[in-house]
Amino acid sequence: MSSDEITLNDIISNKYFYIGLILLFAAISRFALITINQAAWWDETQYLLMTKSFFKGTPTTGWWEGRSVFYPLILTALSMPIGFNELWIRAINALFSLGLIFMTYKLVKELYSERYALAAALITSAQWVFFFYSFRILLGIPSAFFLITSNYYFIKSLNKNWKLNMISGIFLGFAFNIRFTSGVLILVYMAYLALMKNFKPKNYVWILGFIIGFSVLGVYELIIYGNPLNSALEFLRFNLESTGGSQAGDAFYYVSTLFINYGVIIGLLAGFGLIGILLKLNKKNNLFVLLNLAVFLLFYSFVTQVKEFRFLIHLLPFISVAGVVGIMLVYNLFSKNKRFLTVFLIGFSFLTVLENSITGYERVYAASSSYDNIKLAGEYLKSMGAGSIIGQSLPQLTYYGEVSTSPFPGNETAFYSLILEKNIEYIVVSVYEQHPDYTYNLNPQAFMPIQAYPDPSNALLVIYSVNKSLITMQ
């Protein structure tokens, strides 16, 4: 056989063969369902409408300035070769999820070993919250990718390479630009360096990198708003005043929902593994894992009012590695023979994958048709050439209808004034958002229902045509 021929052994012995298999599994499971969601959610359409506006100049009503425009800017940059295309943007989000799996592998390998890295990457790849949000154009996955990438370069660079240390900071700046609470990682880095009594200047170059990474958003906001911290300060103000609303939860939310959100198997194993990590906290890798988990969990438990598990997708690599430690401890309790340890690890990893995969697919399918009536209404209004409308689903109607949308005012007098002031042509009333009481008793002469979804006999959303000549008589 010629020495330059590639054999099966050559392929299997390649250092990226096994992580490649995990990524292939993750890619097939995601791209096979890339079009499953029939409509985008409220938050999703905020990022979509801004991206669409950058390409087409369409309206952006419904955009909240407390959100960073950084992710839409990334989506715009990555879409430049083909222009605005929602399917392409969903593919970008899926690619970020694959990137997170790969960087989980790289980080855990740097902290522990190849065996730990592969098991953690496999467990992470199928975790159902992560899988579910691989199909939603939200901030959890891209911010997690940047955070874990920052973690990797931070650990890899310590006492070795100040340039990699700066790259760590740049990725942290990008993560902060996407989700401002990502800045909590600054506390993790500072605490880790302090506890390790590591005060070498080259290990703090990440601070400069963070400033460089943040400057991409800062310069944009300085030009647009005259304040480089415009969206960050608006985000802070809103959250200081917010009670969390329907998403509020107590301080023990993330602990009490551990088994629901991770599965019983990995929940138990991770809890057991954390005991092992605590008992060997003098090891640098264990300290880094525990600091990430502790600092972020404390912040999201006691500082922020809104509680959702998707905010902690970036902690999945650390939960997964705690689960792997737990698997190892369980094996060592029953056997001192290392011969079957790898088989035992693979078996438990696949059990967690199976449990989470079932939950993930069920959740994805269950939510696939949510808000589809809003999408249909928006597309109908676009076909009608609507110029200006009133509706509570602002970003969704703006995105799908490409029409300027105003929310319903608090009282009926202001409602009629708004119709005349903005030359409103259509009104959208639905069960998807809260509406003022008067919207359910509109004057049938001034407001004629012209379309209902899903159908007139089961109307969850109604579009009304406005007769402004009768509005003046109200």
Side-chain angles (χ1 to χ4, degrees):
M1 183 180 291
S2 173
S3 60
D4 60 354
E5 270 190 48
I6 298 175
T7 67
L8 181 60
N9 285 336
D10 292 330
I11 295 172
I12 294 175
S13 61
N14 186 283
K15 65 178 180 177
Y16 290 120
F17 174 73
Y18 291 107
I19 184 60
L21 286 180
I22 294 171
L23 289 170
L24 180 62
F25 157 74
I28 291 172
S29 63
R30 283 161 173 78
F31 283 99
L33 299 174
I34 196 74
T35 60
I36 189 170
N37 290 322
Q38 297 174 30
W41 289 349
W42 175 290
D43 290 0
E44 285 185 276
T45 51
Q46 293 212 357
Y47 306 114
L48 284 168
L49 69 85
M50 286 302 292
T51 307
K52 179 187 277 190
S53 182
F54 286 138
F55 278 104
K56 299 183 177 183
T58 48
T60 59
T61 51
W63 173 257
W64 174 48
E65 287 188 8
R67 294 191 188 279
S68 165
V69 77
F70 187 71
Y71 192 40
L73 287 173
I74 290 177
L75 295 175
T76 300
L78 295 177
S79 300
M80 280 295 183
I82 63 172
F84 181 81
N85 182 287
E86 185 178 315
L87 179 60
W88 171 247
I89 289 175
R90 294 192 180 280
I92 291 172
N93 196 61
L95 289 172
F96 269 117
S97 74
L98 298 180
L100 176 56
I101 296 167
F102 182 70
M103 292 313 300
T104 294
Y105 164 78
K106 296 284 284 185
L107 173 63
V108 177
K109 184 180 178 182
E110 193 71 28
L111 288 170
Y112 292 90
S113 67
E114 175 83 8
R115 182 165 55 183
Y116 274 58
L118 289 171
L122 178 61
I123 292 169
T124 296
S125 69
Q127 198 275 328
W128 81 260
V129 176
F130 175 37
F131 181 76
F132 182 91
Y133 284 101
S134 295
F135 306 101
R136 294 291 176 184
I137 305 164
L138 295 169
L139 303 182
I141 289 176
S143 64
F145 167 76
F146 287 123
L147 283 170
I148 297 304
T149 304
S150 175
N151 275 314
Y152 167 71
Y153 282 108
F154 177 79
I155 291 297
K156 189 174 180 62
S157 68
L158 290 181
N159 302 318
K160 298 175 184 176
N161 191 321
W162 68 267
K163 293 180 181 178
L164 293 182
N165 198 257
M166 177 179 286
I167 291 172
S168 170
I170 292 173
F171 277 107
L172 176 53
F174 288 168
F176 178 81
N177 287 348
I178 289 179
R179 172 170 279 159
F180 297 122
T181 50
S182 297
V184 173
L185 190 58
I186 293 172
L187 302 179
V188 175
Y189 288 172
M190 287 298 191
Y192 181 77
L193 291 170
L195 290 171
M196 295 301 300
K197 297 181 180 179
N198 191 330
F199 304 109
K200 295 178 181 178
K202 65 180 177 181
N203 293 323
Y204 291 82
V205 182
W206 60 268
I207 298 174
L208 174 60
F210 173 79
I211 295 171
I212 294 171
F214 165 72
S215 67
V216 178
L217 175 65
V219 170
Y220 175 88
E221 294 206 333
L222 181 64
I223 295 171
I224 301 300
Y225 303 110
N227 180 357
L229 295 171
N230 181 76
S231 56
L233 292 174
E234 176 59 23
F235 175 85
L236 178 64
R237 182 200 64 77
F238 175 82
N239 281 279
L240 288 175
E241 297 174 357
S242 173
T243 60
S246 61
Q247 295 173 309
D250 60 38
F252 299 100
Y253 167 84
Y254 294 105
V255 176
S256 63
T257 59
L258 179 66
F259 293 151
I260 297 172
N261 290 305
Y262 279 110
V264 175
I265 297 174
I266 197 63
L268 290 171
L269 290 171
F272 194 43
L274 282 172
I275 296 174
I277 289 173
L278 278 168
L279 292 175
K280 294 188 176 181
L281 204 54
N282 59 322
K283 291 189 173 182
K284 294 185 290 186
N285 51 3
N286 288 339
L287 176 62
F288 189 73
V289 168
L290 191 68
L291 278 173
N292 268 278
L293 289 170
V295 173
F296 273 102
L297 281 170
L298 286 171
F299 177 83
Y300 276 100
S301 295
F302 294 99
V303 177
T304 63
Q305 299 299 317
V306 177
K307 314 292 184 185
E308 279 196 54
F309 221 75
R310 62 186 172 99
F311 299 154
L312 300 182
I313 288 175
H314 68 281
L315 292 185
L316 275 173
F318 304 107
I319 292 289
S320 297
V321 82
V324 175
V325 173
I327 294 171
M328 298 295 200
L329 289 174
V330 169
Y331 184 85
N332 289 328
L333 280 176
F334 296 100
S335 175
K336 300 301 180 183
N337 187 344
K338 303 298 184 183
R339 184 177 178 183
F340 300 106
L341 179 57
T342 299
V343 175
F344 190 80
L345 176 60
I346 293 171
F348 263 94
S349 296
F350 273 106
L351 281 176
T352 65
V353 168
L354 179 63
E355 181 185 19
N356 272 276
S357 293
I358 293 170
T359 302
Y361 278 100
E362 288 176 348
R363 297 294 183 102
V364 168
Y365 276 102
S368 61
S369 61
S370 57
Y371 293 105
D372 57 336
N373 292 317
I374 298 287
K375 176 181 178 179
L376 292 171
E379 291 175 342
Y380 175 81
L381 291 166
K382 179 181 177 181
S383 70
M384 297 291 286
S388 188
I389 66 172
I390 293 177
Q392 292 296 73
S393 302
L394 268 72
Q396 290 156 303
L397 291 171
T398 301
Y399 171 64
Y400 287 115
E402 298 183 3
V403 57
S404 179
T405 309
S406 299
F408 283 93
N411 61 76
E412 198 165 3
T413 301
F415 169 64
Y416 289 123
S417 297
L418 179 64
I419 289 174
L420 297 175
E421 176 188 341
K422 293 199 171 183
N423 194 30
I424 300 296
E425 300 173 86
Y426 300 95
I427 307 292
V428 179
V429 179
S430 73
V431 300
Y432 295 97
E433 308 293 343
Q434 291 185 341
H435 292 63
D437 291 339
Y438 67 82
T439 59
Y440 299 104
N441 297 288
L442 295 175
N443 184 322
Q445 294 179 313
F447 303 97
M448 178 180 295
I450 58 171
Q451 194 73 14
Y453 296 100
D455 57 71
S457 63
N458 179 33
L460 301 178
L461 180 149
V462 179
I463 301 175
Y464 296 89
S465 176
V466 180
N467 187 334
K468 285 182 284 294
S469 64
L470 295 174
I471 294 294
T472 59
M473 298 163 55
Q474 302 298 322

